[in-house]
């Protein structure tokens, strides 16, 4: 907008007459805050009403911004989750190492196995490691401290007893061992394996049976909802839950822990899902949501 100067014919105002006006304006500027404060006190509105009446300044941080800046705690802050990717892609090269036996409390079992694969050769070990890494990303964004029992950073293993100790030493709030099954074609669906009550040798699962069942049920529900994978039609009687006493990873755990068999690699319909990166992301999301539900209960 342009500026137009005063009319040259207008009478000139003597300079000395501006002083009273300036003094008056200054006095009002000084008195205004006191008048406003007095009105607030008399009116009974107080500081809260003043804040409510004042709109937030442009660019003020929102609660989401606060969370990003770390001023609002993330949902899983302070929680420790251990993810156990079943088997190891290099196990097949170290059969002597993985075939040695370890004590699991009530019996002895092989240190580890090679796992299964699809008919086309996509291995369970590759599947579990991929899903575990995706889960780590999801859970860390929620504030959890996440540890993997192996991250493709060792040639084989670890053995099942060491896998259990990793969760125990981390004082994990939840441990999930990720697997895929190798049953006959036509057998499909997922199932979650829960620890039985075992008290023998170094094994005593009695304190973790109940919380592990809670963890497993929540994972099963979330996994089914997110992935659309049906509950197993060959294990668990339609519940998608199976309780076992012969798994060292469960027997030797002192913290809540479950296994999940995400599907059957030998069934063509399940294999099509397990080999899909998009579906593996859903699997990671479903398992993670079950863990989050358990930790926020």
């Amino acid at each position: 907008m342009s500026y137009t100067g005063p009319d040259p014919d207008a009478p000139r105002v003597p300079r000395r007459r501006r002083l009273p006006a300036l003094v008056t304006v200054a006095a009002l500027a000084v008195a205004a805050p006191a008048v406003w404060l007095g009105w607030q006190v008399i009116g009974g509105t107080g500081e809260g009403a003043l804040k409510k009446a004042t709109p937030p300044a442009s660019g003020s941080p929102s609660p989401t911004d606060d969370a990003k800046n770390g001023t609002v705690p993330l949902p899983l802050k302070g929680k420790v989750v251990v993810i156990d990717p079943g088997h190891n892609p290099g196990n097949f090269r170290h059969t002597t190492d993985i075939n040695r036996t370890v004590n699991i409390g009530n019996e002895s079992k092989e240190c580890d196995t090679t796992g299964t694969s699809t008919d086309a050769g996509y291995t369970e070990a590759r599947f579990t490691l991929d899903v575990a890494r995706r889960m780590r990303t999801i859970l860390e964004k929620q504030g959890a401290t996440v540890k993997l029992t192996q991250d493709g950073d060792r040639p084989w293993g670890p053995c099942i007893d060491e896998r259990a100790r990793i969760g125990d030493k981390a004082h994990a709030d939840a441990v999930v061992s990720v697997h895929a099954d190798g049953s006959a074609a036509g057998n499909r669906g997922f199932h979650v394996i829960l620890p039985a009550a075992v008290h023998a040798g170094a094994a005593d699962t009695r304190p973790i049976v109940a919380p592990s069942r809670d963890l497993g049920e929540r994972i099963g529900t979330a996994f089914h909802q997110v992935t659309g994978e049906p509950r197993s039609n060959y294990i668990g009687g339609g519940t998608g839950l199976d309780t076992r006493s012969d798994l060292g990873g469960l027997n030797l755990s002192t913290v809540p822990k479950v296994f999940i068999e995400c599907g059957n690699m030998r069934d063509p319909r399940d294999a099509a899902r397990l080999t899909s990166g998009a579906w593996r992301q859903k699997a990671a999301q479903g398992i993670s949501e079950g863990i989050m539900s358990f930790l926020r209960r």
Side-chain angles (χ1 to χ4, degrees), residues 10-225:
R12 297 178 65 85
V13 180
R15 195 173 187 83
R16 60 183 175 80
R17 295 179 63 183
R18 291 183 181 179
L19 182 58
L22 291 172
V23 172
T24 301
V25 171
L28 287 173
V30 171
V35 173
W36 173 253
L37 179 61
W39 181 84
Q40 289 290 317
V41 173
I42 294 171
T45 56
E47 184 181 4
L50 178 60
K51 289 182 177 178
K52 183 177 181 181
T54 304
S58 176
S60 297
S62 66
T64 303
D65 294 329
D66 288 339
K68 291 178 181 178
N69 294 332
T71 57
V72 176
L74 293 169
L76 299 186
K77 184 176 178 61
K79 300 295 185 180
V80 177
V81 178
V82 171
I83 306 171
D84 178 29
H87 314 290
N88 182 312
N91 275 0
F92 74 94
R93 299 188 189 95
H94 297 269
T95 54
T96 301
D97 295 306
I98 66 171
N99 284 338
R100 68 181 180 86
T101 59
V102 297
N103 190 281
I104 65 169
N106 58 356
E107 61 177 298
S108 292
K109 295 287 288 288
E110 295 83 1
C111 158
D112 202 359
T113 66
T114 58
T116 187
S117 67
T118 65
D119 290 340
Y122 180 68
T123 66
E124 179 184 2
R126 286 177 57 196
F127 168 81
T128 64
L129 188 54
D130 183 63
V131 172
R133 288 169 173 168
R134 293 171 188 264
M135 288 172 59
R136 176 172 58 193
T137 299
I138 294 168
L139 293 168
E140 285 182 341
K141 286 182 179 179
Q142 297 298 311
T145 297
V146 181
K147 299 178 183 296
L148 269 60
T149 58
Q150 59 92 8
D151 193 11
D153 51 355
R154 53 185 297 163
W156 60 274
C159 294
I160 55 178
D161 55 342
E162 184 181 349
R163 289 173 185 267
R165 285 196 298 270
I166 291 171
D168 296 344
K169 290 179 179 179
H171 303 288
D173 296 286
V175 183
V176 177
S177 190
V178 181
H179 288 263
D181 210 0
S183 186
N187 291 340
R188 66 178 308 235
F190 78 91
H191 64 278
V192 180
I193 304 174
L194 313 174
V198 176
H199 184 211
D204 186 1
T205 62
R206 294 174 297 176
I208 68 165
V209 166
S212 295
R213 172 170 283 274
D214 186 20
L215 171 63
E217 289 176 346
R218 290 172 186 268
I219 287 175
T221 297
F223 188 82
H224 175 64
Q225 291 175 344

